[in-house]
Amino acid sequence: MKKLMLNLLSLLSLIVFSGCEHRELVEPTEKHYVRVYLDEHIRNVHYGFYDETKKKPEYKAPTMMRVTLNDMQSGKMRAETYLRNTGTDERGNYVDGYIVAAPGTYNLMAYSFDTQSTHVSNEDDYYQMEVYTNPISEQLYEKLVSVRSENGESGKSNFDKKNIHYEPDHFFVAACEGIQVSDKLYTDTLHSNQGEYFTAQTAVETYYIQVNIKGIEHVKNASSLITGMARATRMSDFTLISDPPACVYFNLQAGMNEARNDENIAVAYASFNTFGKLKEVEGFIEVTFEFNTKYETTQVETIRVSDMFETEQVKNNRWIIIDKVIEIIPPDDVSEGMSPGVNNWENVEGNLTI
């Protein structure tokens, strides 16, 4: 029995230690200051709005960042810390703190750590880290009329629920290779290869989209899907992950159309976030609008917008302005006499899988 117990303990030790990754022992005095500035000059968020009278997109600056130092050859993490201090100076907002690491040359990765919908995979491998969003929830998927086939069943249309994703939060990343960590006995400061503090940029783009609506007074809420988007981004070089292409789900707002002289024409609009448009899907980008009416009916409209992405307006400004007028058709038994107007729509709610 004693021999059996010894064998079991030996086997357990083998399993435990084989699952552990070797890291160098470091002294608490080997502490290094890290500061990461946020490049918050974001189009359609902080500047470049199509229409200043419309509701602007929500934005939350990072209040915490994770920093890793990784082996330059294997990409594996050798040290990590979480920066919780925030500050502002003439250069802008920053997050700072300290990391304990042995002397050497590393790749540094710093990224947002307090986002709601945006997540990181392979978080301990510099070359394999990806930022992504989850597919929409089963409950939300079942609410979408556009994903159903003609017989009303879900899951039998061109929209695979696994490829319909929530839009990402703005997610800041600083990836720098060849960072020197000195063997000084006092606290020093880590710098980029240019001798400066690190700067993090967002891995997410914001687009503005708008379509004309006639009969907007009949609409209770509306949402949209846009195809041909990247489902994730590799963090070390911002390479878009294209397999498989994703649809991005977002809610629409109701607004007046100041550009038209027709009081019966309003607009549905949104500022939506994406990791980026895929070049591999040229000619196949479509926007599907779902309008849920006050009469418990749903009207679906799909418009191909591939050519618009080749225009200077979209390339330079990321404004997708659709000239088409969508007319919302109420049921035949609805009484006449309702006056047009624009109210705040209800959002289509769904559980967010974390």
Side-chain angles (χ1 to χ4, degrees), residues 9-295:
L9 286 172
S10 298
L11 180 60
L12 180 61
S13 299
L14 180 62
I15 293 172
V16 169
F17 286 109
S18 64
C20 295
E21 184 177 335
H22 169 74
R23 290 197 204 171
E24 294 182 40
L25 293 176
V26 294
E27 296 292 336
T29 55
E30 296 178 325
K31 187 166 65 172
H32 311 275
Y33 177 72
V34 181
R35 178 181 292 191
V36 182
Y37 281 94
L38 306 175
D39 183 356
E40 296 177 289
H41 194 59
I42 307 173
R43 181 175 289 279
N44 291 318
V45 175
H46 294 107
Y47 77 103
F49 298 105
Y50 176 74
D51 186 344
E52 289 287 345
T53 66
K54 299 292 190 294
K55 183 178 179 181
K56 295 178 173 60
E58 295 181 359
Y59 169 79
K60 177 186 174 184
T63 57
M64 182 186 300
M65 299 191 80
R66 181 179 185 242
V67 177
T68 66
L69 293 174
N70 301 66
D71 183 84
M72 291 188 63
Q73 280 69 46
S74 67
K76 299 302 181 183
M77 185 185 72
R78 297 297 178 227
E80 68 173 333
T81 191
Y82 294 86
L83 308 182
R84 296 177 173 85
N85 301 321
T86 59
T88 304
D89 60 17
E90 65 282 355
R91 183 172 166 180
N93 295 325
Y94 62 84
V95 184
D96 68 352
Y98 297 89
I99 189 168
V100 176
T105 305
Y106 302 93
N107 292 342
L108 178 143
M109 180 71 74
Y111 61 87
S112 303
F113 196 72
D114 55 354
T115 53
Q116 181 178 3
S117 66
T118 314
H119 313 293
V120 175
S121 62
N122 307 313
E123 62 271 14
D124 292 340
D125 189 326
Y126 179 88
Y127 298 110
Q128 299 300 322
M129 285 190 198
E130 292 181 7
V131 55
Y132 69 96
T133 57
N134 285 319
I136 61 174
S137 67
E138 185 74 27
Q139 297 92 324
L140 180 54
Y141 181 80
E142 292 297 332
K143 290 180 181 179
L144 296 175
V145 173
S146 55
V147 305
R148 300 172 191 162
S149 58
E150 292 182 359
N151 61 10
E153 297 181 12
S154 63
K156 295 185 177 180
S157 68
N158 291 329
F159 291 104
D160 184 339
K161 63 182 175 182
K162 294 181 180 178
N163 294 334
I164 303 177
H165 289 250
Y166 292 106
E167 58 177 321
D169 303 310
H170 276 280
F171 187 89
F172 289 84
V173 177
C176 304
E177 300 185 4
I179 302 303
Q180 300 293 327
V181 175
S182 72
D183 57 357
K184 296 175 181 177
L185 296 179
Y186 57 87
T187 300
D188 64 343
T189 300
L190 299 187
H191 292 107
S192 69
N193 294 324
Q194 291 73 39
E196 301 176 349
Y197 291 123
F198 303 100
T199 300
Q201 297 179 317
T202 181
V204 173
E205 299 175 347
T206 299
Y207 283 79
Y208 176 87
I209 188 168
Q210 176 178 296
V211 65
N212 302 303
I213 305 295
K214 184 176 182 180
I216 202 167
E217 66 274 13
H218 302 300
V219 180
K220 180 173 64 175
N221 56 50
S223 59
S224 186
L225 297 168
I226 184 167
T227 63
M229 301 292 119
R231 66 168 182 82
T233 294
R234 191 167 61 202
M235 291 164 55
S236 61
D237 57 7
F238 283 9
T239 297
L240 300 181
I241 307 301
S242 60
D243 186 22
C247 303
V248 173
Y249 167 86
F250 54 93
N251 288 311
L252 296 167
Q253 303 286 333
M256 299 301 295
N257 192 337
E258 306 294 343
R260 284 180 176 258
N261 260 337
D262 189 340
E263 63 180 10
N264 294 315
I265 304 296
V267 296
Y269 72 94
S271 295
F272 70 91
N273 293 337
T274 173
F275 294 117
K277 179 190 74 73
L278 296 175
K279 295 180 180 179
E280 296 88 339
V281 295
E282 299 288 358
F284 298 97
I285 301 178
E286 293 181 334
V287 181
T288 297
F289 299 101
E290 279 203 13
F291 299 97
N292 299 314
T293 72
K294 298 174 181 177
Y295 321 110

